[in-house]
């Protein structure tokens, strides 16, 4: 077979595949730990007699701390390297999942989830940097798409475990299982290398905050502002939707839900996450072919339409049918962030750029679960979920204020 006709996956070295697997697993395990909370919501609400607004606020606190973690660990990754930073974040969110299971009241749970958020936010930033800087430009979108699909796998596993563990053992044991991802750091230690571009282009003696200052200089400020606005819009939509989606499915019909049991709602989420997995992976291939901007915008517009339909549907068969499509479009666009943001910022500021823009957006979107939970008290969860459609549309418009970066070499 000639070099010209060789399949793209044969162009990738073993070390690049190792880096991708590290990013994939790290993000999948992150999702597993984070989404255990989403599936435990109704059980916690019943045991402690608290309402949707309080639990939504707790989810918002986790997102706020994850935003801080992403910004901090992006800067740390610029200083100490992508590999070490990745291992540290996985260890943090794994331990704090176990602490969540030991909570005796809402305040203790709030502390544990806030600390967990620090690791959660940092993991995505460090994993995206590791993969983006390890893979060649023409296949970077595919790599980030595959990495991002780890979230769907983690979400799927969380749904599967929750459907068996909560009815039999309760929500505390569910959180104890979340400690297991800490074992992943042994794989990273043995098989993953630092990206060559970071080793060669980074001044190890520079000030700790120098990369953070760089992203606010005139030549990068436009990218910093617009990317932050985009991530804010789409993450408000995502977290407002997916934090409450299991709750919508398991809440009584008279409260605006779909009226399913916890087991059934968990089972309904599995096809949704299969759709999300396919959406994450397909996004990278499409974006490498058609470009980052049109692919991103298309996914968001379809998401906005599907959310409105889904939130106003109570028919079980229709919900099951729409679930995979909601997962495909409502999650797949996240595969655009890792490659797109990395391609906008130079190596000396890439960690800060990825960490700040993505996670400031996450911080500003942290109120989404609270907003949806608040409106759900009066209007029901189904109707309240459709608020997120507006933010999907906003992200689809803002993306065209940035340049197309398909196929460019990292600076």
């Amino acid at each position: 077979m000639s070099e010209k006709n060789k399949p793209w996956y044969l162009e990738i070295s073993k070390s690049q595949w190792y880096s991708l697997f590290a990013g994939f697993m790290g993000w999948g395990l992150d999702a597993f730990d984070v989404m255990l909370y989403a599936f435990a919501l109704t059980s916690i609400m019943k045991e402690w007699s608290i309402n949707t607004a309080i639990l939504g606020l707790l989810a918002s606190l986790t997102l706020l701390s994850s935003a801080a973690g992403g910004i901090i660990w992006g800067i740390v990754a610029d200083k100490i390297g992508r590999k070490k930073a990745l291992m540290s974040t996985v260890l943090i969110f794994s331990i704090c999942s176990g602490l969540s299971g030991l909570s005796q009241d809402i305040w203790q749970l709030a502390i544990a989830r806030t600390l967990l958020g620090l690791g959660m936010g940092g993991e995505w930033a460090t994993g995206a940097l590791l993969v983006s800087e390890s893979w060649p430009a023409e296949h970077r979108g595919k790599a980030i798409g595959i990495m991002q699909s780890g979230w769907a796998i983690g979400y799927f596993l969380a749904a599967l475990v929750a459907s068996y563990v909560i009815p039999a053992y309760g929500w505390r044991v569910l959180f104890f299982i979340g400690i297991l991802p800490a074992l992943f750091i042994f794989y990273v230690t043995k098989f993953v290398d630092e990206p060559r571009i970071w080793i060669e282009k980074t001044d190890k003696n520079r000030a700790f905050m120098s990369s953070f200052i760089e992203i606010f200089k005139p030549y990068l400020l436009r990218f910093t502002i617009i990317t932050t606005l985009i991530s804010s819009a789409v993450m408000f939509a995502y977290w407002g939707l997916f934090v409450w989606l299991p709750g919508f499915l398991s809440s009584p019909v008279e409260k605006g839900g779909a009226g399913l049991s916890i087991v059934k709602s968990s089972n309904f989420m599995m096809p949704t996450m299969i759709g999300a997995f396919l959406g994450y992976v397909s996004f990278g291939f499409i974006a490498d072919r058609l470009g980052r901007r049109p692919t991103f915008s298309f996914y968001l517009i379809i998401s906005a339409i599907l959310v409105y339909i889904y939130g106003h549907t109570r028919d079980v068969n229709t919900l099951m049918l729409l679930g995979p499509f909601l997962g495909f479009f409502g999650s797949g666009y996240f595969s655009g962030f890792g490659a797109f943001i990395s391609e906008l910022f130079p190596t000396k500021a890439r960690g800060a750029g990825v960490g700040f823009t993505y996670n400031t957006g996450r911080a500003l979107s942290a109120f989404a679960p609270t907003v949806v939970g608040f409106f759900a008290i009066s209007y029901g969860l189904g109707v309240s979920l459709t608020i997120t459609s507006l933010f999907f549309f906003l992200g689809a418009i803002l993306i065209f204020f940035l340049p197309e970066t398909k196929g460019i070499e990292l600076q």
Side-chain angles (χ1 to χ4, degrees):
M1 182 181 296
S2 66
E3 288 292 320
K4 184 177 180 180
N5 296 322
K6 186 167 65 173
W8 69 269
Y9 50 84
L10 295 181
E11 301 174 18
I12 307 304
S13 69
K14 184 181 293 186
S15 63
Q16 290 168 334
W17 281 117
Y18 285 155
S19 295
L20 175 56
F21 185 70
F24 170 86
M25 285 296 295
W27 193 225
L29 294 172
D30 194 339
F32 178 78
D33 268 351
V34 171
M35 296 316 299
L36 291 180
Y37 174 76
F39 288 104
L41 278 175
T42 51
S43 297
I44 296 173
M45 192 160 50
K46 290 178 182 177
E47 182 173 327
W48 288 346
S49 300
I50 51 182
N51 61 32
T52 55
I54 295 297
L55 285 176
L57 178 60
L58 192 57
S60 295
L61 286 174
T62 304
L63 292 177
L64 281 171
S65 67
S66 72
I71 295 170
I72 293 169
W73 286 103
I75 299 171
V76 170
D78 279 337
K79 183 67 177 177
I80 69 172
R82 314 330 191 183
K83 175 180 175 178
K84 293 178 182 178
L86 176 64
M87 290 190 293
S88 300
T89 60
V90 172
L91 189 61
I92 290 172
F93 71 68
S94 300
I95 291 174
C96 291
S97 179
L99 291 177
S100 299
L102 295 174
S103 302
Q104 298 302 307
D105 55 43
I106 191 66
W107 298 108
Q108 292 180 9
L109 183 60
I111 293 172
R113 302 308 293 179
T114 299
L115 293 175
L116 181 145
L118 293 174
M120 168 193 168
E123 194 288 326
W124 182 87
T126 54
L129 289 167
L130 179 69
V131 176
S132 294
E133 293 181 343
S134 298
W135 275 60
E138 63 270 25
H139 303 306
R140 190 177 299 123
K142 302 179 186 67
I144 292 296
I146 294 171
M147 172 197 145
Q148 197 73 42
S149 70
W151 181 272
I153 299 300
Y155 201 131
F156 184 93
L157 289 175
L160 183 65
V161 172
S163 67
Y164 288 101
V165 171
I166 291 180
Y169 305 103
W171 61 269
R172 295 182 186 279
V173 174
L174 192 67
F175 286 137
F176 293 150
I177 293 173
I179 300 174
L180 295 177
L183 299 174
F184 169 67
I185 63 176
F186 294 107
Y187 166 82
V188 179
T189 301
K190 184 174 181 179
F191 293 103
V192 178
D193 299 322
E194 283 290 353
R196 184 175 300 175
I197 190 173
W198 180 83
I199 296 173
E200 295 176 351
K201 301 296 183 181
T202 300
D203 179 6
K204 311 302 187 299
N205 297 317
R206 66 180 178 170
F208 177 72
M209 293 294 290
S210 62
S211 65
F212 183 75
I213 295 171
E214 193 75 19
I215 66 174
F216 294 101
K217 290 184 177 180
Y219 79 109
L220 292 177
L221 184 59
R222 173 192 166 205
F223 298 155
T224 301
I225 293 174
I226 296 177
T227 308
T228 299
L229 290 174
I230 294 171
S231 63
S232 299
V234 300
M235 278 194 270
F236 187 100
Y238 180 86
W239 290 110
L241 173 63
F242 280 96
V243 164
W244 282 113
L245 198 55
F248 162 67
L249 292 171
S250 60
S251 294
V253 174
E254 58 270 19
K255 293 186 177 181
L260 304 178
S261 66
I262 291 178
V263 173
K264 284 186 177 180
S265 65
S266 298
N267 291 337
F268 263 57
M269 288 304 299
M270 293 179 191
T272 302
M273 286 303 105
I274 292 174
F277 174 82
L278 297 174
Y280 289 135
V281 175
S282 67
F283 186 100
F285 284 84
I286 298 171
D288 276 346
R289 177 63 64 90
L290 301 180
R292 308 328 190 194
R293 298 190 305 177
T295 309
F296 195 82
S297 184
F298 176 72
Y299 270 60
L300 290 177
I301 290 172
I302 299 300
S303 297
I305 296 170
L306 286 173
V307 169
Y308 183 85
I309 297 172
Y310 199 87
H312 286 80
T313 299
R314 298 297 179 272
D315 180 72
V316 173
N317 294 327
T318 304
L319 289 171
M320 179 66 83
L321 178 65
L322 290 178
F325 293 98
L326 184 66
F328 185 96
F329 291 103
S331 302
Y333 55 83
F334 271 104
S335 293
F337 279 110
F340 198 32
I341 301 176
S342 295
E343 290 161 350
L344 291 171
F345 292 90
T347 300
K348 62 181 177 181
R350 187 167 296 119
V354 170
F356 178 82
T357 60
Y358 187 86
N359 289 286
T360 300
R362 179 180 276 166
L364 295 176
S365 73
F367 300 101
T370 303
V371 171
V372 173
F374 176 79
F375 280 99
I377 295 175
S378 301
Y379 302 102
L381 273 172
V383 174
S384 299
L385 288 178
T386 60
I387 295 171
T388 62
S389 293
L390 298 175
F391 291 88
F392 279 127
F393 276 122
L394 179 59
I397 295 170
L398 289 174
I399 192 67
F400 288 100
F401 286 87
L402 290 172
E404 179 59 59
T405 61
K406 184 189 75 169
I408 71 166
E409 296 293 339
L410 295 183
Q411 301 175 42

